[in-house]
Amino acid sequence: MTVTLRSLETAVPPTLLIQSEARDVFASQPGLTRLGQRLVRTCFDSAAIDTRHTAVAEMSTGSQSENPVFFDGASGLLLSPSTKVRNDLFTTEATKLFIEAAEKALEACDGVGPGDVTHVITVSCTGFFNPGPDYKVVRALGLNASVQRYHLGFMGCYAAFPALRAAKAFCEADPEAVVLVVTAELCSLHVRTSNNPDTIMGSSLFGDGAAAAVVSARELPSSNPVISLDHFETVLTPVGEDSMAWNIGDEGFEMVLDSYVPRIIDEHIVDALAPLLAHEPAIAALPYGDIRHWAIHPGGRSILDKVEAKLELTAEQLLPARETLRDFGNMSSATVMFVLKHILNQQATAAQESICAMAFGPGLTVETGLFTKLSPGLPTGRNVVELETVGRA
C-alpha cells in the first residue's frame, strides 16, 4: 500500500516584515544595553532572512493604531501585552490561516471533496483555544460531523512529522481514509524586546505561516506531482535538552535557542539519520549527496550550514530550505511543509525522486522522513538515486 501526500498548499498573513526595518526597530528600543544593540544587529543581519509575515497588523511599517497593543508605530516602541492578549489574537488570526490553508489543499486535491475527508489533524505550538482549530476546520469546510479530529499542540518545529506519520498510519489502517493535515504557527505573537540572547535570536528568526496537506492511500487521479510517505523515524540526541525549549511566560511564550544547537546537530546528524536510511538499503549504501532532494527545516542559517557541510550536500540541494528561510523565516512546524512545497514545484527529472526530510525541536528531537516525489507524465523507471549512481559507474 502506498500512502501519498496528494496536495500541499500554504498560507501566510498579509502583513510583511522587512528584515532590515525590523532590525532597526528592535535595535532602537529603550533599555537595550550596548551589547544588546550589537546582538540585535548581528542576529538580524546574519539570519539570511529578507522578509517574514506576521499576523500582528500593527507591526507593519507606518502603522498608526489609536490604541496600540503590540507596537506603537508613532513612537517606535515595542509593547508587552500579556499572554492572554497574545493568545486571544492567536485564536482569531490562527483560525483564519488554518481554514485558508485547509481550503486550498482540499481544492487542489483531484478526486477529493469535503465529504471524503475522514480525519483532520491540526498542529500548532504558538497558542491554544477550545473548541480548537480541528473543530474550526471541520465546521468551516463543511466536513462530516463524524470526522475524527486530532490536535498536536506545543511540540515545536518538528511537529509536522508526527502529524504526517499519524496520517500515514490512519491510511494504512483504513485504505479508504482521507486525512487533512493542517499546521499553523503565529510565532510573531511572542516577540519582545530584551537583552537576552535567546530572545533576540527568536525575534530575528521567527515568522507566521500555515500549510495543509491531503494524505490518502486511495487510487486518485493527479495531474501534478505527489509525495509518497515511505518511512519516518524519531531520534533524541544524547545532549541538548536544555538547549532548545519553548516555555509559557506572563508576557507570551519564551524561546530558548542556545547557540550550541548547530554544534549539537553537526555532531549527531549522522547518527540521527542512520535509523531512517537503514530502512532503505539501496539508499543507505549511497553517499548522502546521491539523495536527490533534502527537505531540511531551516531553523536558522547556521543549522543549514552545518547540515550542508556535514552531509557534503550541494548548494542546490539546500536551496529549497534556504529560500524558504529567506522569504518566510522560521515558521516553526509549518516551515518544513513550505520546503516540501518548494520541492514539489521544482521541475522533475524522473518519474521518481527521493526526498530526505528532517526537522529539529525541543529535546533535542530530530524527526526524519524518507519520501518519494512521484511525477505523472514522465517515463517510469528506477528511482533517480539509482539512475544517478549507475550513470557514475
Side-chain angles (χ1 to χ4, degrees):
M1 179 187 299
T2 301
V3 178
T4 54
L5 189 156
R6 310 294 304 183
S7 67
L8 175 56
E9 299 294 330
T10 61
V12 292
T15 301
L16 187 69
L17 292 178
I18 308 300
Q19 183 78 344
S20 59
E21 295 176 355
R23 174 203 62 204
D24 293 344
V25 168
F26 276 84
S28 65
Q29 297 305 300
L32 280 183
T33 62
R34 289 185 178 180
L35 176 59
Q37 291 174 341
R38 288 199 300 270
L39 284 173
V40 167
R41 296 192 179 279
T42 299
C43 288
F44 277 74
D45 289 343
S46 63
I49 295 171
D50 291 344
T51 56
R52 292 176 281 166
H53 291 260
T54 177
V56 185
E58 289 178 0
M59 294 296 291
S60 63
T61 303
S63 172
Q64 296 293 328
S65 174
E66 290 185 6
N67 298 295
V69 178
F70 287 81
F71 177 63
D72 184 351
S75 65
L77 291 177
L78 290 165
L79 307 178
S80 299
S82 67
T83 300
K84 180 184 185 307
V85 169
R86 297 175 196 259
N87 196 69
D88 286 347
L89 188 60
F90 175 87
T91 302
T92 301
E93 299 303 320
T95 296
K96 296 177 184 177
L97 285 182
F98 273 110
I99 292 171
E100 180 185 350
E103 287 178 335
K104 290 168 68 175
L106 202 54
E107 290 172 0
C109 188
D110 295 339
V112 169
D116 295 300
V117 177
T118 59
H119 302 71
V120 171
I121 304 172
T122 54
V123 180
S124 189
C125 69
T126 48
F128 300 93
F129 62 92
N130 202 3
D134 51 310
Y135 173 91
K136 298 292 187 182
V137 167
V138 169
R139 289 303 195 195
L141 273 63
L143 307 184
N144 293 327
S146 59
V147 165
Q148 295 185 36
R149 310 186 335 257
Y150 303 85
H151 181 70
L152 301 182
F154 220 65
M155 296 186 77
C157 294
Y158 62 82
F161 284 83
L164 292 174
R165 185 168 58 237
K168 175 178 167 67
F170 292 147
C171 294
E172 289 173 337
D174 176 6
E176 291 302 308
V178 175
V179 186
L180 180 59
V181 176
V182 196
T183 174
E185 303 286 11
L186 303 189
C187 306
S188 71
L189 294 182
H190 303 290
V191 300
R192 61 178 62 78
T193 181
S194 173
N195 286 298
N196 182 284
D198 288 346
T199 303
I200 292 172
M201 181 69 71
S203 298
S204 72
L205 285 176
F206 285 98
D208 302 345
V214 176
V215 176
S216 184
R218 290 187 186 182
E219 291 291 335
L220 296 169
S222 180
S223 56
N224 298 308
V226 300
I227 293 176
S228 169
L229 303 178
D230 302 328
H231 189 65
F232 294 89
E233 289 286 349
T234 301
V235 171
L236 299 179
T237 61
V239 295
E241 182 176 348
D242 299 326
S243 297
M244 187 183 295
W246 191 224
N247 303 311
I248 299 177
D250 293 334
E251 296 178 348
F253 299 171
E254 299 170 351
M255 166 60 67
V256 176
L257 189 59
D258 198 293
S259 59
Y260 184 52
V261 169
R263 181 177 171 183
I264 296 173
I265 292 171
D266 179 61
E267 293 175 350
H268 297 285
I269 188 172
V270 171
D271 290 339
L273 277 172
L276 179 79
L277 300 184
H279 186 77
E280 183 56 64
I283 292 179
L286 299 172
Y288 298 115
D290 284 341
I291 298 175
R292 178 76 180 192
H293 300 289
W294 287 81
I296 307 299
H297 166 70
R301 191 208 67 192
S302 57
I303 289 176
L304 295 180
D305 290 346
K306 291 292 187 182
V307 170
E308 182 177 337
K310 188 71 173 184
L311 302 183
E312 298 182 351
L313 303 179
T314 66
E316 181 182 3
Q317 288 171 307
L318 268 291
L319 192 65
R322 292 194 188 277
E323 290 194 346
T324 298
L325 181 66
R326 180 196 67 196
D327 297 338
F328 301 101
N330 182 342
M331 299 166 287
S332 191
S333 66
T335 322
V336 75
M337 302 288 270
F338 277 66
V339 179
L340 285 170
K341 177 68 173 177
H342 192 297
I343 291 171
L344 272 175
N345 290 341
Q346 289 182 351
Q347 183 68 39
T349 59
Q352 300 182 40
E353 298 177 348
S354 287
I355 303 171
C356 187
M358 180 182 300
F360 320 96
L364 187 71
T365 302
V366 182
E367 288 278 353
T368 57
L370 198 59
F371 310 144
T372 305
K373 178 179 175 180
L374 307 172
S375 300
L378 290 177
T380 58
R382 289 171 294 172
N383 190 287
V384 72
V385 170
E386 300 170 14
L387 290 173
E388 289 175 348
T389 305
V390 170
R392 280 197 304 275

